[in-house]
Amino acid sequence: MWEPLAPPTRPGAARSGLETPADALVELLAALARRQHEHRSTTTARLTTVTDSHLLPADLHEMGLYYLAKAHRDLGDSAASRHGMRTVAAGGGRLAPAARRGLAHLARLAGDFPTAHDTARTLGWAGRQHRVEGDIYWPHGDTHRAATAYAAARDQADQHGVAGERATSQTHRALVLAFTDPDTADDEIHLAEQLLTGLDLRATTLTLRIAALARDAGTLPGLEAARVLRAESRDAGITAAEAVLDVVLAFHHAVLGDHDKIRATADRLRDLARNGDYAYYADIAHFMAGQPLLQPSTAHWLEPEDTVRRRWETLVAERRHHLGIRLP
């Protein structure tokens, strides 16, 4: 008596519990749908299961690899993210421009601004060039240039009807302007809130709430809102949000001239940068306060370091002037 042969199983499929392409597709879609509501480590585990099963056709496998690489970046695992982004970019598929954008972001996080900038200029609309450029300019304290780039990204997204990109670019613009002009930032934050209505963008929503803190720097009645944001950023597994939050807190403490709190904030930023990423944020905290760096910067800036330092010092001085704060 004979029995029908079972269909061949692809490598990894049996171990993952996924047995058919339909199983893998369902898990992929579920992981992507839930990624705004789960810790990024959960997302990486689910997407790793999908990609390791090798059950999906090439275009859907590429999608799994790309979003897995994004989740790795959010968690601070840049080596894994870079490997995934390079794989997707080399494949030349539909998500290749997005993967090249991911590589530009990773270069920026590592403080390699020239490489990030050179890559950004090749991205075009498909790779969201203007937003990437804004992300590069604002750590340099070049707020006008960054805000202009984000406005161009927002308007371009509007022309293409991409609501999520429009809201994200406007939110980043609001954050940058929150360092320069609290009154203007009010309108920019309000517009970002309107554009985010009905969208499910967790990282962008956190960024917008951080922008509101930057707008109020020097006048914050307490730091409970910052503590809540830190907890939510950690719950989501979004390292970038926590890093930007500490930059904003450093700005607030610098405006008030509280050097002990600036040093404590810079220490937290150095702890976040233990894998090598975001190290320049601690530099910025010292720039704001007019403090020397504890060790030479590992960042490769687009301009002389003194230029970047002066810009951040000027933003602090202008906020003090705006608020009528005179330090002894």
Side-chain angles (χ1 to χ4, degrees), residues 12 29 38 60 63 68 109 153 162 245-246 262 271 274 284:
L29 296 178
E38 295 178 332
L60 292 175
M63 182 182 295
L68 176 58
L109 298 185
V162 183
L245 172 62
D246 274 323
I262 293 166
D271 187 55
R274 56 189 176 276
I284 290 171

Side-chain angles (χ1 to χ4, degrees), residues 69-143:
K70 283 192 70 174
H72 278 306
R73 187 181 74 214
D74 285 342
L75 289 168
D77 189 352
S78 291
S81 181
R82 190 172 291 107
H83 175 75
M85 291 296 183
R86 283 175 175 165
T87 300
V88 175
R94 183 176 61 85
L95 287 172
R100 288 194 290 273
R101 175 175 75 246
L103 291 171
H105 283 314
L106 289 164
R108 170 178 58 84
L109 298 185
D112 186 356
F113 291 105
T115 295
H117 193 241
D118 288 345
T119 303
R121 289 188 292 180
T122 70
L123 295 176
W125 155 249
R128 310 299 191 257
Q129 175 175 337
H130 292 307
R131 175 158 62 89
V132 176
E133 289 173 337
D135 290 344
I136 293 167
Y137 297 141
W138 93 259
H140 287 76
D142 197 346
T143 53

Side-chain angles (χ1 to χ4, degrees), residues 218-243:
T219 65
L220 296 174
L223 298 181
E224 180 57 29
R227 285 189 282 271
V228 171
L229 277 166
R230 188 182 308 283
E232 292 184 18
S233 300
R234 290 178 178 176
D235 285 345
I238 302 176
T239 304
E242 186 174 358

Side-chain angles (χ1 to χ4, degrees), residues 55-74:
L55 286 166
L56 292 173
D59 56 339
L60 292 175
H61 181 72
E62 175 192 73
M63 182 182 295
L65 287 176
Y66 172 71
Y67 283 101
L68 176 58
K70 283 192 70 174
H72 278 306
R73 187 181 74 214
D74 285 342

Side-chain angles (χ1 to χ4, degrees), residues 311-328:
R311 287 198 186 114
W312 285 109
E313 287 179 338
T314 298
L315 288 171
V316 170
E318 289 175 346
R319 180 61 59 93
R320 286 178 185 157
H321 178 75
H322 175 80
L323 297 174
I325 294 175
R326 294 186 179 180
L327 299 180

